[in-house]
Amino acid sequence: MQQRICEIVRHGEAGTQVTVKGWIRTKRELKECTFVNVNDGSLLAGLQVVIPHTLEGYADLIKHLTTGAAAEFSGELVPSPGKNQRIELHASHIHVWGTADPDTYPLQKKRHSFEFLRTISHLRPRTNTIGAVMRIRNACATAIHQFFQERGFLWVHTPIITASDCEGAGELFTVTSLNLAAPPRTPTGAVDFSQDFFGRHAYLTVSGQLEAEIMATAFSQVYTFGPTFRAENSNTSRHLAEFWMVEPEMAFCDLQGDMDLAEAFLQYVFRYVLEHCPEDLVFFQERVDNTVMATAQQMASQAFARLSYTEAIHLLESSGRPFEFPVAWGLDLQSEHERYLAEEYCRRPVIVYDYPANIKAFYMRLNDDGKTVAAMDVLAPKIGEIIGGSQREERYDVLHSRITEQGLDPAPYWWYLDLRRFGSVPHAGFGLGFERLVQFMTGMDNIRDVIPFPRTPGNAEF
Amino acid sequence: MQQRICEIVRHGEAGTQVTVKGWIRTKRELKECTFVNVNDGSLLAGLQVVIPHTLEGYADLIKHLTTGAAAEFSGELVPSPGKNQRIELHASHIHVWGTADPDTYPLQKKRHSFEFLRTISHLRPRTNTIGAVMRIRNACATAIHQFFQERGFLWVHTPIITASDCEGAGELFTVTSLNLAAPPRTPTGAVDFSQDFFGRHAYLTVSGQLEAEIMATAFSQVYTFGPTFRAENSNTSRHLAEFWMVEPEMAFCDLQGDMDLAEAFLQYVFRYVLEHCPEDLVFFQERVDNTVMATAQQMASQAFARLSYTEAIHLLESSGRPFEFPVAWGLDLQSEHERYLAEEYCRRPVIVYDYPANIKAFYMRLNDDGKTVAAMDVLAPKIGEIIGGSQREERYDVLHSRITEQGLDPAPYWWYLDLRRFGSVPHAGFGLGFERLVQFMTGMDNIRDVIPFPRTPGNAEF
């Protein structure tokens, strides 16, 4: 019976016979035996296997036991005399499944740049760093589902292909099955999308929020967790053309409840990862960013600060700081302002709420003051905005006015407006960029290194 | 404190004070009191609320308490004298959040066709049938994650936008940010995709399998669960242009292990739904398809039959049945053949394996007989193929030949071939069409009614 290396390393008892299968990371030949480190992806450290040179067929075998080779090792677990591991495997039978020629296998022991590793995205999951990222990514995703399912939220699959543009903003990818070399044309020469697959111009979604609102007005509490897209030509370390987003939406919920949920949600996810991936977090702490553990512990346990936008502007104005961007009521907060609030003033995550209406989207609920909306952003130290949410405008007339005020055509929003005609309720939700969360948790510099196959301008390989 | 109706109906104790929030499904006015059924989406049945006509403001209130209205009810739980419920709520305070004009609200008590309901996909989740579908859908999805996470599989996010076409088959949607009215052209007049967002012609994925194989050769056991796409102009009750797929992939696994996993997987999901959504399954049993419960119980508990393709052909040939399509070794099984095997011969789910190489994809492992591949399909009574899987070809030379034999260019598969150069291992996996599973479980006729917002030729509304 094959056993996962994480289980053997954590719980394996000396004296038992086991078989492990994995890939060789390192090899060290001594006089009487050879040590190989075998990794099956279940644990950062892998398992130390000791191969006595008296093993039958050793001379042939050892040539193939190189970095990257896939092999199977059977033998007895023995307490390890080394200080780096509790237990090791003394091999009595070895089978090499697949070799890896040392002259051509790109992942030799030396350190590689993340830029280079992106060019071999089919092999980079076998490195320590990307391996640890992907285990933490999986733990975050699992924690997210568990958090919502425990609270009775339904996971809803909102459409990827859509004819509507959630915020009237953001550049969209077109989805088409037309022959682009010679598309059908209307009499005026425009592309005739009525002849396209969906009978209209279709796009990749930028958010599932509007459809999640539909589901929330039937099931009370729902969340999306799926891919979303931006066709922005942003070659930065924080932008992807394809990324995953989590968007809970709750009926009978106001901004206060929304903030409470966002805080409980982030705390839960950090607590889960601290519990399930301690080795991986320590790795990032030691190799990538020495604030990772402190941040995780703070996020997991400490209540977030809360400031209204108006208070935040006062604080920034009276901070005496020479900010690069202007600070004034009505202007959006810039990254430097967000970081001052979270890192210096509050020294912990802070939720800023009640933003000016004119800098926020049409669907956010207008407050009684007539000039702010019930929006909130969770700002985290170092990373800035990690969650953005709002109470949604549930009043038909106010929503209709906000749509037209922002220069949008209300017609395509007929169904979104209908939700305000039939059984309308106060409701609220937020969005979390999943890769931003993983980046925040691991301290990884570039968002392209926290998703298996990044999609950015010029890059769709693999 | 707001409470979910499913918890009150199942566990609420008489004598306690509760507040519920939801949407009114039905209203029945008697002489001294009015009964309303309130549903918050957490449970098919909803909660019966009794409103005494002596309640302050009753005369005004009752006008607004119509089907579809959103309201909040506080009061005491009382044992119900009615035979349809254990407990009911005697309201002492009511607040109407949002009305629903009976003259215009489309979901009145009468039955609506599923075709009509699709035209109001923003409201249909509030119906009994679509509500029950979505709760079962969520339970299936949760069971899937739980099954794999318990076994140490990582959930991996394979790319949605891709430059490769997994099987060299299936029609693809193009993803582009070019101006389609006047795209850049090469000197020969073709569309110049090198100037498109990704610097090449990009598509929506038809499968995450090839990328999942990358991840399996690093983490041993992984699964995808995400959207996939087909640009086929199929207007049938079994096809969607956008659907969700689950694709586990396991290193150090052969076809036998793949079949074992598929069986354990389906059993687990059916067991989970039987346990978590009993009311919804009974609803489908009584209203939609009276074989739903028997099927679920069989899938949850009975071992699947297994037949090689060659045995299956012999059985079909000797069945004496006048099949419409020919039966002969080398031809693919048609739906009528699959149904005979599962429904009549085996009378339970059956896994058919070792198919002729020439009717299967290039990546399936060639068996030693040189003419079959290690492929398998799980065939379920009534529905036919529900899972398709295979052991993958792990031998570089054989894979390369199979690619060229099928008329494909090996160049774009450089990274897929690389997996066979460096630490190659026997590995296997399968694909499950998520909506087919939900359709199978609920007995729903049309696949468009088991996904919140179906995408089909001509339809991308909502």
Side-chain angles (χ1 to χ4, degrees), chain A residues 212-402:
Chain A
E213 288 185 51
I214 289 175
M215 301 304 272
T217 56
F219 302 103
S220 300
Q221 303 187 124
V222 301
Y223 66 107
T224 73
F225 190 161
T228 48
F229 305 85
R230 294 284 185 286
E232 279 162 40
N233 200 356
S234 301
N235 255 311
T236 81
S237 63
R238 286 171 54 82
H239 289 89
L240 291 166
E242 172 181 323
F243 57 98
W244 285 63
M245 195 136 79
V246 178
E247 296 179 288
E249 189 73 33
M250 295 147 286
F252 305 105
C253 182
D254 59 14
L255 188 67
Q256 188 69 37
D258 201 34
M259 293 193 282
D260 292 346
L261 188 87
E263 180 171 329
F265 167 73
L266 285 174
Q267 287 177 340
Y268 186 100
V269 175
F270 275 88
R271 242 179 266 139
Y272 186 95
V273 175
L274 276 166
E275 188 181 330
H276 288 82
C277 300
E279 300 91 346
D280 294 319
L281 283 177
V282 167
F283 172 84
F284 288 108
Q285 167 82 15
E286 290 175 353
R287 303 292 185 90
V288 173
D289 175 350
N290 65 10
T291 66
V292 157
M293 290 303 285
T295 301
Q297 274 147 5
Q298 187 187 44
M299 291 295 292
S301 59
Q302 204 175 27
F304 297 178
R306 299 190 187 188
L307 292 173
S308 73
Y309 167 87
T310 304
E311 288 173 285
I313 292 295
H314 286 316
L315 288 171
L316 291 165
E317 285 174 334
S318 57
S319 69
R321 290 303 169 97
F323 292 116
E324 188 187 342
F325 291 92
V327 172
W329 202 99
L331 298 181
D332 210 353
L333 299 182
Q334 300 298 319
S335 178
E336 58 176 344
H337 310 139
E338 296 179 343
R339 292 188 61 163
Y340 170 79
L341 294 170
E343 287 166 34
E344 302 194 49
Y345 185 80
C346 298
R347 295 175 174 275
R348 54 182 168 144
V350 53
I351 310 182
V352 178
Y353 59 90
D354 288 347
Y355 283 81
N358 62 311
I359 59 171
K360 290 290 184 182
F362 71 86
Y363 52 73
M364 299 186 177
R365 189 178 196 280
L366 196 64
N367 286 324
D368 291 344
D369 61 17
K371 58 182 188 174
T372 62
V373 288
M376 64 99 176
D377 286 343
V378 181
L379 312 178
K382 296 193 67 180
I383 199 109
E385 184 194 325
I386 186 158
I387 277 181
S390 67
Q391 184 171 343
R392 320 306 187 186
E393 184 54 74
E394 88 281 11
R395 295 162 295 185
Y396 182 93
D397 295 341
V398 181
L399 180 63
H400 197 281
S401 305
R402 292 268 292 154

Side-chain angles (χ1 to χ4, degrees), chain B residues 22 29 39 58 71 92 103-104 117 124 139 158 210 234 266 282 302 308 339 364 392 416 431:
Chain B
E29 282 192 82
N39 195 300
Y58 172 79
S92 54
D103 295 334
T104 54
L117 289 178
R124 69 174 188 163
T158 49
L210 304 196
S234 300
L266 285 174
V282 167
Q302 205 176 23
S308 74
R339 292 188 60 164
M364 298 186 177
R392 320 307 187 185
Y416 191 66

Side-chain angles (χ1 to χ4, degrees), chain B residues 109-121:
Chain B
K109 208 183 167 182
K110 75 179 175 100
R111 243 183 149 140
H112 302 283
S113 73
F114 290 126
E115 289 73 21
F116 169 71
L117 289 178
R118 272 174 235 140
T119 68
I120 50 166
S121 287

Side-chain angles (χ1 to χ4, degrees), chain A residues 23 40 70 99 122 126 137-138 142 149 155 157 160-161 174 176 181 185 197 220 242 418 422-423 455 458, chain B residues 23 40 99 122 126 137-138 142 149 155 157 160-161 174 176 181 185 197 220 242 418 422-423 425 455 458:
Chain A
W23 293 266
D40 67 357
T99 57
H122 61 312
R126 305 181 190 183
R137 190 179 162 100
N138 173 70
T142 302
Q149 293 291 331
W155 183 22
H157 297 106
I160 309 303
I161 299 170
T174 289
T176 179
R185 305 267 179 180
F197 190 92
S220 300
E242 172 181 323
D418 254 14
F422 304 122
R455 297 305 185 232
Chain B
W23 293 267
D40 67 358
T99 58
H122 61 310
R126 305 182 190 184
R137 189 180 162 100
N138 173 71
T142 302
Q149 293 291 330
W155 183 22
H157 298 105
I160 309 303
I161 298 170
T174 289
T176 179
R185 305 267 178 179
F197 190 91
S220 300
E242 173 181 322
D418 254 13
F422 304 122
V425 292
R455 297 302 185 235

